[in-house]
Amino acid sequence: MNLTRNDFPDGFQFGVATSAYQIEGRDFGGCGPCHWDSFAATPGNVVRAEDGAVACDHYHRLDEDLDLVARLGADVYRFSTSWARVIPEGRGAPNPEGLDFYDRLVDGLLARGIKPAATLYHWELPQPLADLGGWRNRDIGDWFADFTETVMARIGDRVWSAAPINEPWCVGWLSHFDGHHAPGLRDIRATARAMHHILLAHGRSIEVMRGLGMGNLGAVCNFEWAEPADDSADSAAAAETYDAIYNRFFLGGLFRGEYPAPVLAGLEPHLPEGWQDDFATIGAPLDWLGLNFYTRKLITKGDGPWPHYAEVEGPLPKTQMGWEIEPAALTRFLIRAARDYTGDLPLYVTENGMASANPFDDPDRIGYLSDHLEAVRAAIAEGAPVAGYYVWSLMDNYEWSLGYEKRFGLVHVDFETLARTPKASYHALASWWRTED
Ligand code: IFM
């Protein structure tokens, strides 16, 4: 189905998203080292030990890439600002070249009539801060507040929206419990501290941006719809724990000033002293919630200690990532988020898309996007206040521990020549979104 602007409410925002480390190229412009560089350099962590040294060379191809966003007919471009590029030591003196780059990026978007949607942190923690314990260290609240001030004092007057941290679950759980992302820890105490400090830093950052007079501030979390794999009570309990860790920890912290009991069952002994006192900061009022949504998970009881769950492979068609495609799960999650946590607050699908091995002709991606846009429409019809939808991602890029193999882009990138070629999905979206010609 071809869903055009006319199928959505007036003012609905269509966009595309990227992130700094995944496209810019760390080797350029005075960027400092970050924990992804050392994680990737450690054998076994990343496919072929690939890193973001060059990535898509977006740093030098900014205008060409912004033209691609404009020709797509996008209203919004969601990008992130690299902490390691802006403040190479993590604290202290900013890198003027880094700030200039984001200045040019924002002005380049505005000149093309595109709304800049900034995310301050999309995972490139400066190495000197990682050396001090990174997200495990409570001081990261202050470090992140200072970074926020540095970036937003420069571009905060022109960004359309801003959010502090992309996908707290990935920063906390995936990186400190599962060990799949930098810093690659598998430690319950590190996890508890990181999960809490991320939300604390989020709140501090919102405070700073409010202090600068900024509006349209939100949070961007990744969510998955978790279902019991069968009818057993064990699977139901396991799915509840999975849902609590993945989804409700962040929704509860941000919107209710509480962490869910199934998470506290495992993490409470490891949370920093006085954690409850931080909810006043964590729960600073927001103007919207961003949901990054890709898939659902089937969950059953797992062996071993807490959290006692295991994922079961589902029967639905899968993307190149092996993630099941179930658009109705997005509808259900949007309705649930509004009903149980956010009420009338606008919801944005801040990331949705699929990795596909099809290099240029990608009907699978066109189908995925169209089905998920339909799912958003269904949620709106049920009363969920969804105000926008952004595709992940503008172009093929560095997919973290999976290197450059998994291609999420609307635009193909040849990683030898760095040539950009719009795929069929790019042309399809352009025909749905463009208002002129
Ligand atoms: O590439 C990532 C992105 O950095 C965060 N959200 C999910 C995407 C696909 O895995």
Side-chain angles (χ1 to χ4, degrees):
M1 180 178 303
N2 295 344
L3 291 171
T4 70
R5 285 179 180 277
N6 298 335
D7 298 305
F8 289 83
D10 281 349
F12 192 88
Q13 303 292 316
F14 294 98
V16 275
T18 62
S19 92
Y21 192 82
Q22 291 178 274
I23 65 169
E24 286 176 2
R26 169 221 58 206
D27 277 358
F28 318 123
C31 186
C34 80
H35 68 170
W36 265 96
D37 302 324
S38 44
F39 182 74
T42 310
N45 284 342
V46 176
V47 171
R48 293 181 293 271
E50 289 169 343
D51 63 18
V54 175
C56 305
D57 189 26
H58 173 68
Y59 186 81
H60 294 113
R61 293 161 197 254
L62 181 60
D63 282 318
E64 179 185 354
D65 292 341
L66 297 190
D67 285 344
L68 284 165
V69 182
R71 283 202 296 275
L72 185 60
D75 307 300
V76 176
Y77 178 62
R78 177 172 175 254
F79 65 97
S80 74
T81 51
S82 161
W83 194 340
R85 180 177 300 290
V86 170
I87 309 180
E89 291 295 318
R91 298 175 292 175
N95 165 30
E97 275 184 83
L99 285 170
D100 287 351
F101 175 72
Y102 294 115
D103 210 41
R104 286 201 306 280
L105 170 51
V106 169
D107 283 346
L109 289 167
L110 294 175
R112 290 168 175 81
I114 302 160
K115 299 179 176 71
T119 302
L120 279 151
Y121 180 78
H122 198 128
W123 309 352
E124 55 285 276
L125 187 71
Q127 190 59 55
L129 300 185
D131 294 342
L132 295 174
W135 291 102
R136 286 172 287 161
N137 187 333
R138 185 181 173 84
D139 290 346
I140 199 155
D142 294 334
W143 305 336
F144 192 63
D146 291 346
F147 166 58
T148 301
E149 175 98 37
T150 303
V151 172
M152 291 307 173
R154 184 67 180 268
I155 62 171
D157 57 335
R158 281 158 294 141
V159 296
W160 172 70
S161 75
I165 295 167
N166 182 70
E167 300 185 351
W169 178 86
C170 289
V171 182
W173 191 267
L174 189 67
S175 307
H176 295 83
F177 196 87
D178 291 340
H180 294 164
H181 277 192
L185 296 179
R186 290 179 43 73
D187 184 279
I188 195 167
R189 191 170 180 81
T191 305
R193 281 152 193 268
M195 299 261 283
H196 181 70
H197 293 151
I198 290 159
L199 289 179
L200 176 63
H202 157 91
R204 295 291 316 281
S205 175
I206 293 287
E207 270 173 14
V208 168
M209 290 193 278
R210 293 282 182 218
L212 290 169
M214 293 174 62
N216 207 13
L217 307 181
V220 173
C221 301
N222 54 322
F223 296 117
E224 283 183 353
W225 184 264
E227 288 176 38
D230 54 50
D231 291 340
S232 70
D234 279 349
S235 290
E240 198 195 338
T241 301
Y242 186 92
D243 179 55
I245 291 170
Y246 208 111
N247 304 313
R248 291 197 289 127
F249 182 86
F250 304 101
L251 288 165
L254 292 169
F255 296 104
R256 286 195 184 161
E258 64 182 26
Y259 292 146
V263 181
L264 292 177
L267 294 192
E268 186 163 17
H270 307 287
L271 282 167
E273 206 177 319
W275 55 274
Q276 297 93 336
D277 300 338
D278 291 328
F279 282 126
T281 305
I282 292 170
L286 297 175
D287 303 310
W288 50 270
L289 171 67
L291 301 91
N292 294 357
F293 200 92
Y294 291 90
T295 191
R296 65 130 186 210
K297 285 283 163 60
L298 295 182
I299 306 296
T300 191
K301 185 175 188 298
D303 299 329
W306 186 89
H308 314 296
Y309 63 60
E311 294 178 22
V312 173
E313 188 178 333
L316 301 176
K318 298 185 181 62
T319 71
Q320 194 191 16
M321 296 289 278
W323 296 344
E324 274 193 305
I325 302 174
E326 212 217 351
L330 173 58
T331 309
R332 291 197 290 275
F333 206 98
L334 289 164
I335 293 169
R336 173 205 195 185
R339 184 193 62 215
D340 296 349
Y341 292 95
T342 53
D344 294 336
L345 206 66
L347 302 177
Y348 290 85
V349 177
T350 33
E351 283 184 24
N352 179 243
M354 72 174 285
S356 164
N358 291 325
F360 302 107
D361 188 17
D362 53 349
D364 48 349
R365 181 176 287 109
I366 296 174
Y368 181 102
L369 297 175
S370 138
D371 290 348
H372 282 81
L373 281 163
E374 192 58 73
V376 169
R377 252 163 58 97
I380 294 171
E382 292 293 321
V386 190
Y389 172 92
Y390 312 157
V391 174
W392 184 270
S393 179
L394 172 66
M395 56 188 155
D396 296 336
N397 58 47
Y398 179 63
E399 181 53 26
W400 305 109
S401 52
L402 300 175
Y404 290 95
E405 204 173 81
K406 307 292 183 206
R407 292 178 175 266
F408 275 89
L410 298 173
V411 174
H412 177 271
V413 176
D414 178 327
F415 289 106
E416 297 295 317
T417 64
L418 296 167
R420 277 87 160 128
T421 310
K423 302 180 187 178
S425 55
Y426 175 97
H427 295 299
L429 278 186
S431 75
W432 304 345
W433 291 358
R434 284 181 69 139
T435 45
E436 75 278 19
D437 63 54

